[in-house]
Amino acid sequence: MNILIVGSGGREHAIAASVVKSSHADKIYCAPGNAGIAKIAECVPIGAMEFEKLAAFAKEKNVGFTIVGMDDPLVGGIVDVFEKEGLTIFGPRKNAAILEGSKAFSKDLMKKYNIPTAAYETFDDSHKALEYIDTAKLPIVLKADGLALGKGVLICNTLEEAKAGVKEIMEDKKFGSAGNHMVIEEFMTGREVSVLSFVDGKTIQIMSSAQDHKRAKDGDLGLNTGGMGTFSPSPFYTKEVDAFCKEHIYQKTVDAMAAEGREFKGIIFFGLMLTEDGPKVLEYNARFGDPEAQVVLPRMKNDVIEVMQACVDGRLDQLKLEFEENAAVCVVLASDGYPLSYEKGFEIFGEETFDDKDGYYCFHAGTKKNEDGKIVTNGGRVLGITAKGADLKEARANAYAAADWISFENKYMRHDIGKAIDEA
Ligand code: AMP
Ligand code: GLY
């Protein structure tokens, strides 16, 4: 059947690369896509938030299955629009995507169903939030309630910073309407792990674990970004951690959503922190991580369409997810200056080196083809270079070797992606 993928980043390129291998995929479309996705799918210039146009396109092209990579369209209700038109689509409906769309909702859900997370309070009035801060323990974490491109989280070490943060979020609306409500929560310490899962409303199946590197600079310094690199599996995600999360977090979350009348189908991404008191949920996302997808999907043995179709049909219990017994590392090549200001439009060289190499992937994020037909940089995160290896160390060495195959004028990357592997 024909497949439509909605999104334009490295995650959607990784999804497309898995879909290409599916025995159920005929023609693949991606809206809007990017220059890398265009090599394996037909990119169509429709924005991810143009639900009616996307649905009309899916009907016109006889698309049998649509996959949504991004959070905004899911939270905005793309799944409801497609379903109303009788189209099959993979992802949570609007009333379930709220698991990512509202931090206040997800914190209240965890509290109500006793799912371990940081202690917190929610506020819709800045004065009350400021009063609370006067009595709270430092450091303290402030979160704008809604989607804020991963930037709506402030970790404040002093009272002054925290007060300024509340004003920025709730009064100056630095993150827009995401700041109409906010969550103030306890600061936790520990190692972070990303666990992605497939969910069919009742059953949940966990994918291989991963770890992201969110800060821009080596040594976890610099500003928060969308993610500068990942590795999978995480050696810190032990059997004990897995057993704890299976008992206290995963199924409980799926059951809680169902009990609330918000049946969740699609991907739940658990952002976990492994604290001294055990694993706790930092956040939920309702989609694949970016760049987690770039290290998890290439290691999945199943036919991705079969798994997603089983989620839509509510028969995930009949399937067994299988991952290769190896490892993968993704190093993001960014434009120097990201996440603040950076130049773009530079020609990218060296991509063809990946063409004949198994286990190496050059996933495009911010790229485009210019008027001369050349592939140029077109965003902050430009490429995600993924390599597999027999183990994490080999995968890391391979990924960094492959990162050197690419050149463009203001290429920037972290040099310590996967450094934590040495401490495992
Ligand atoms: P979130 O978008 O909620 O995942 O937050 C972004 C990042 O902020 C996380 O990946 C953590 O590194 C950090 N963070 C969020 N909440 C906390 C917390 N309660 N304690 C410590 N760090 C946090
Ligand atoms: N890599 C983190 C995220 O996708 O939210």
Side-chain angles (χ1 to χ4, degrees):
M1 63 188 160
N2 297 338
I3 314 278
L4 170 64
I5 299 167
V6 179
S8 60
R11 164 183 50 208
E12 286 74 23
H13 195 178
I15 293 171
S18 286
V19 170
V20 168
K21 293 189 296 179
S22 167
S23 61
H24 302 279
D26 294 318
K27 176 98 187 156
I28 306 171
Y29 298 98
C30 187
N34 63 36
I37 297 173
K39 294 181 187 182
I40 52 176
E42 182 178 328
C43 292
V44 286
I46 306 177
M49 296 305 284
E50 298 181 283
F51 303 163
E52 308 292 341
K53 274 195 194 166
L54 288 169
F57 176 84
K59 280 193 165 168
E60 181 197 325
K61 299 292 183 185
N62 199 20
V63 167
F65 200 86
T66 298
I67 303 165
V68 187
M70 300 164 72
D71 46 4
D72 288 292
L74 290 170
V75 171
I78 189 173
V79 171
D80 307 63
V81 171
F82 269 58
E83 284 182 347
K84 212 167 89 213
E85 296 293 333
L87 293 159
T88 303
I89 181 164
F90 174 75
R93 293 185 187 134
K94 185 173 183 171
N95 75 349
I98 190 174
L99 189 62
E100 168 163 7
S102 165
K103 292 192 189 284
F105 170 84
S106 67
K107 294 295 291 190
D108 289 346
L109 186 87
M110 288 187 266
K111 189 189 253 176
K112 180 167 174 190
Y113 291 91
N114 213 5
I115 297 167
T117 188
Y120 74 102
E121 295 286 336
T122 55
F123 297 92
D124 53 16
D125 173 338
S126 63
H127 299 288
K128 294 229 168 75
L130 289 168
E131 265 173 40
Y132 174 78
I133 283 194
D134 268 329
T135 63
K137 216 173 112 215
L138 295 164
I140 189 117
V141 184
L142 312 183
K143 298 185 174 184
D145 178 52
L147 292 182
L149 291 169
K151 298 193 181 90
V153 175
L154 304 177
I155 295 174
C156 304
N157 291 307
T158 66
L159 206 61
E160 291 67 42
E161 261 178 62
K163 289 192 165 172
V166 170
K167 289 203 177 93
E168 271 177 21
I169 293 176
M170 297 200 89
E171 292 174 5
D172 309 341
K173 299 273 190 262
K174 188 170 172 195
F175 307 108
S177 59
N180 291 346
H181 305 275
M182 71 179 291
V183 172
I184 302 187
E185 71 176 32
E186 166 203 11
F187 177 74
M188 303 189 287
T189 51
R191 212 169 267 290
E192 286 185 42
V193 183
S194 302
V195 177
L196 315 184
S197 65
F198 287 100
V199 182
D200 74 352
K202 310 179 290 288
T203 302
I204 176 164
Q205 293 217 33
I206 301 304
M207 295 179 231
S208 186
S209 61
Q211 186 180 319
D212 192 7
H213 299 66
K214 289 210 167 95
R215 300 294 198 98
K217 301 207 165 125
D218 283 13
D220 288 328
L221 299 173
L223 294 170
N224 255 324
T225 69
M228 294 300 291
T230 36
F231 57 82
S232 171
S234 164
F236 308 100
Y237 190 79
T238 59
K239 282 206 171 73
E240 292 72 40
V241 171
D242 184 59
F244 180 94
C245 295
K246 283 187 170 135
E247 186 178 346
H248 298 287
I249 296 177
Y250 303 145
Q251 189 67 48
K252 261 178 144 176
T253 300
V254 176
D255 294 345
M257 289 299 282
E260 293 293 311
R262 298 173 183 273
E263 180 188 64
F264 194 105
K265 289 186 178 188
I267 305 285
I268 300 182
F269 165 155
F270 298 84
L272 303 175
M273 188 172 269
L274 310 181
T275 75
E276 277 193 345
D277 306 327
K280 292 190 182 178
V281 178
L282 275 171
E283 62 160 348
Y284 292 117
N285 295 312
R287 45 152 180 98
F288 282 104
D290 187 344
E292 281 88 346
Q294 289 90 315
V295 286
V296 172
L297 282 175
R299 299 182 48 239
M300 192 168 93
K301 291 192 198 168
N302 305 69
D303 183 313
V304 71
I305 297 295
E306 273 171 26
V307 179
M308 290 179 171
Q309 184 78 58
C311 290
V312 173
D313 297 344
R315 47 176 181 76
L316 190 60
D317 57 336
Q318 294 166 20
L319 247 156
K320 187 171 179 312
L321 276 192
E322 289 188 282
F323 286 83
E324 294 170 1
E325 294 283 326
N326 56 9
V329 170
C330 174
V331 176
V332 168
L333 305 186
S335 300
D336 196 13
Y338 171 74
L340 296 174
S341 62
Y342 48 83
E343 287 181 74
K344 48 191 193 182
F346 298 117
E347 187 172 356
I348 299 169
F349 300 96
E351 262 197 300
E352 63 291 344
T353 321
F354 288 79
D355 290 348
D356 56 353
K357 297 216 171 38
D358 260 1
Y360 289 86
Y361 306 80
C362 178
F363 293 124
H364 286 228
T367 66
K368 70 167 189 192
K369 218 175 215 178
N370 71 8
E371 311 78 56
D372 307 327
K374 298 209 157 50
I375 293 181
V376 298
T377 63
N378 191 41
R381 291 192 293 176
V382 178
L383 300 170
I385 304 300
T386 294
K388 293 184 192 173
D391 59 18
L392 284 163
K393 285 189 180 167
E394 190 181 297
R396 178 176 57 187
N398 291 345
Y400 273 108
D404 282 342
W405 301 342
I406 296 286
S407 60
F408 55 86
E409 200 154 310
N410 58 346
K411 174 179 154 189
Y412 172 83
M413 64 181 158
R414 275 183 62 162
H415 289 89
D416 64 346
I417 301 301
K419 188 162 180 281
I421 297 164
D422 300 328
E423 297 154 26

